[in-house]
Amino acid sequence: MLNVGVVGTGFGQKIHVPGFQALTGVQVLGLWGRDLAKTQSLAVKLGVPLVFESVEAMAQHPEIHAVSLTTPPHLHYEQAMTVLQAKKALLCEKPVALTAAQVQAMLTLAEANQLTHGVDFEFRLVPEWLRLKELLAADILGSLRLIDVTWQVEGRADASRSWNWYAQRDQGGGALGAIGSHAFDYIEWLFAPIATLQAQLTTTISQRPDGTGQLLAVDSDDTCNLLFTLASGISGLMSLSTVTWSGQGHWLRVYGEKGTLILGSADLTDYVHGFQLWFAPPGGTLQLEVIPERLRFARTYTDGRLAPFVGIAQRFVEAIATAQPMTPSLHEGLRSQQLIDAAQYSHQHSCVIKMSDFV
């Protein structure tokens, strides 16, 4: 039996705990949360036997074999290093940390201790995205001409939504980290490394109320516009926003010499449910692609995020059992963070970043 400890009671209770509990031969043995009383109550509800008063206590417990981090980004580095120093396998949410230097330190320690490490880039497990990758690998589009990412949702559109860590740039808040981290990962997974980028980050809602109703300043971005060029020479653009009422949702459009592939979902409340994939040959109309049964989830859930996380968790567990590397790992987490850092630098200095010079 592989015993897992889950750190964090927000996304942790919604996705990580039930995700690991869906696997055979795995037990969520422990839970840590900032509010001990709340965590104890949740542990009873979720069927988790142990509650820890600190991440260090969890990591040092002899019956905990692996730890999954679901806390806000500014806590990841210290918590991950505690886990890795205790020589426990680590699964981490994205963005992995606040800077690429922090992620590099985590990766160096994990590999020095020969530990399994993974990152929850769940789009790599979504059936429609897997089918898109297959079609691209089959050269259905020929030479590519343009990549267009539009990800516009309304999760933070309500200006009365409470101020918290997400409103603070120095705590890893903002759209670039929350959704840009995914976009950077899947662009390089599907196509090629990003060679250059230029970014403009905007904070359109500059104040939010705290628990008492007092307005506090927001300095994290909620809208990001980026231009990029792949190492293969193909150009692309991204429009990312978390404050767009009735936004388009999440769309990836790929244009090539032999046609167009469009992958997208207009669902503004669940960022996994609702994806469909279309193809159109030159001069033709878009036709819906049938997703092969072999790529579909074995089980789906009301919360769309759970099914791909189960797949990520399964990869993590299998990697521990076989002592083989998993993908996506801290390597992919590091690359995504390098691109986030580059986008932030580009915005601050109004410049184009050449990634080979930046990292």
Side-chain angles (χ1 to χ4, degrees), residues 22-316:
L23 302 179
T24 301
V26 178
Q27 176 183 214
V28 179
L29 182 63
L31 187 64
W32 174 87
R34 187 173 49 185
D35 184 323
L36 181 60
K38 175 185 173 183
T39 306
Q40 289 171 332
S41 177
L42 279 172
V44 172
K45 176 183 175 182
L46 298 170
V48 177
L50 302 179
V51 171
F52 292 94
E53 294 189 1
S54 69
V55 176
E56 183 177 16
M58 176 185 287
Q60 294 292 338
H61 195 284
E63 293 183 40
I64 293 287
H65 306 128
V67 175
S68 194
L69 292 185
T70 76
T71 46
H74 68 284
L75 300 176
H76 286 176
Y77 173 71
E78 182 178 345
Q79 292 174 341
M81 295 299 279
T82 295
V83 170
L84 296 170
Q85 286 164 356
K87 298 188 177 181
K88 303 296 172 71
L90 174 71
L91 181 64
C92 191
E93 271 302 324
K94 38 52 59 190
V96 174
L98 296 181
T99 66
Q102 288 184 340
V103 185
Q104 181 63 69
M106 293 159 61
L107 174 59
T108 298
L109 182 56
E111 302 215 319
N113 287 339
Q114 298 182 313
L115 299 169
T116 299
H117 49 88
V119 177
D120 184 25
F121 286 126
E122 63 260 55
F123 287 104
R124 293 170 175 250
L125 278 295
V126 177
E128 292 78 11
W129 291 78
L130 290 169
R131 182 57 178 162
L132 172 64
K133 184 170 177 63
E134 288 185 346
L135 293 174
L136 290 169
D139 201 33
I140 192 172
L141 298 184
S143 297
L144 301 185
R145 295 176 176 174
L146 177 67
I147 299 165
D148 180 1
V149 177
T150 301
W151 197 346
Q152 299 169 350
V153 293
E154 59 186 31
R156 307 286 297 179
D158 186 350
S160 68
R161 183 165 179 176
S162 295
W163 184 93
N164 60 9
W165 69 266
Y166 193 98
Q168 302 170 75
R169 183 175 58 208
D170 65 1
Q171 294 198 13
L176 180 64
I179 61 178
S181 56
H182 278 299
F184 284 142
D185 178 67
Y186 67 60
I187 288 295
E188 296 204 340
W189 172 59
L190 291 168
F191 303 106
I194 293 174
T196 68
L197 64 78
Q198 184 173 13
Q200 179 188 63
L201 311 180
T202 308
T203 304
T204 64
I205 299 177
S206 60
Q207 293 181 311
R208 290 187 183 273
D210 66 4
T212 68
Q214 179 182 354
L215 290 176
L216 300 178
V218 174
D219 66 359
S220 63
D221 60 278
D222 53 41
T223 301
C224 316
N225 290 295
L226 302 99
L227 300 175
F228 62 89
T229 304
L230 301 182
S232 57
I234 308 307
S235 62
L237 58 155
M238 293 185 193
S239 173
L240 313 175
S241 181
T242 58
V243 292
T244 45
W245 290 118
S246 300
Q248 292 188 47
H250 190 180
W251 297 83
L252 171 60
R253 299 173 175 91
V254 189
Y255 302 94
E257 65 171 331
K258 296 192 292 188
T260 296
L261 281 166
I262 296 179
L263 171 66
S265 170
D267 193 325
L268 299 181
T269 59
D270 188 312
Y271 66 71
V272 173
H273 281 321
F275 278 107
Q276 292 184 295
L277 178 64
W278 295 265
F279 171 71
T285 58
L286 289 167
Q287 299 292 322
L288 187 65
E289 287 286 316
V290 176
I291 307 303
E293 197 63 33
R294 59 184 167 78
L295 297 180
R296 294 191 178 278
F297 293 126
R299 178 183 173 187
T300 57
Y301 302 83
T302 302
D303 188 327
R305 301 170 296 182
L306 187 49
F309 177 77
V310 170
I312 291 285
Q314 183 66 56
R315 288 188 181 187
F316 181 62

